[in-house]
Amino acid sequence: MARRPKTKKKQPPFGIPREIILLTGQDVWPYTFIADDSGGGCGKVPMPADAALEEVQTAISTQLADLTRIFHGVEIDVEWSSLTPDSWVGHIRRVTAEVPAPPGAVPEVG
């Protein structure tokens, strides 16, 4: 009797992010993130050095939030603080999303 090969469940490329380190750059802003599984990753945001810090932070936060939602089904939020004059750290926390009521459910009156 022939056996069917076991299919391995593909693991997400990274764990749930828990911290981001952002550095100032010339034409790109490099960043590194650390994930729960002791892994992580790095990247660059292609924005000029004089770009508003909030725009750069939002770009990174949005990208990581989207990927975390896709790969892990988890919503995250980032709170930024300064490390040095040219670097910042983003502390990531999981956000509890409200589960929509099933169709036909009676809304609570309170």
Side-chain angles (χ1 to χ4, degrees), residues 3-53:
R3 292 187 181 206
R4 191 180 331 186
K6 290 185 178 180
T7 57
K8 289 185 178 180
K9 183 178 180 184
K10 190 172 182 177
Q11 295 293 323
F14 60 89
I16 297 172
R18 59 184 164 106
E19 192 171 77
I20 308 167
I21 306 295
L22 171 63
L23 304 173
T24 303
Q26 291 296 335
D27 294 328
V28 295
W29 294 64
Y31 67 90
T32 301
F33 71 90
I34 301 164
D36 285 344
D37 64 356
S38 300
C42 58
K44 297 177 183 176
V45 178
M47 290 186 167
D50 62 350
L53 176 61

Side-chain angles (χ1 to χ4, degrees), residues 33-109:
F33 71 90
I34 301 164
D36 285 344
D37 64 356
S38 300
C42 58
K44 297 177 183 176
V45 178
M47 290 186 167
D50 62 350
L53 176 61
E54 293 78 19
E55 289 181 30
V56 178
Q57 291 173 339
T58 299
I60 296 168
S61 300
T62 302
Q63 183 180 15
L64 274 180
D66 290 345
L67 290 172
T68 304
R69 185 179 315 108
I70 290 167
F71 289 116
H72 300 287
V74 174
E75 295 292 328
I76 61 171
D77 186 40
V78 182
E79 184 177 317
W80 292 94
S81 60
S82 180
L83 280 175
T84 67
D86 61 349
S87 66
W88 299 266
V89 62
H91 299 283
I92 299 173
R93 65 180 180 89
R94 292 182 189 196
V95 178
T96 305
E98 282 191 33
V99 178
V106 178
E108 289 185 32
V109 178

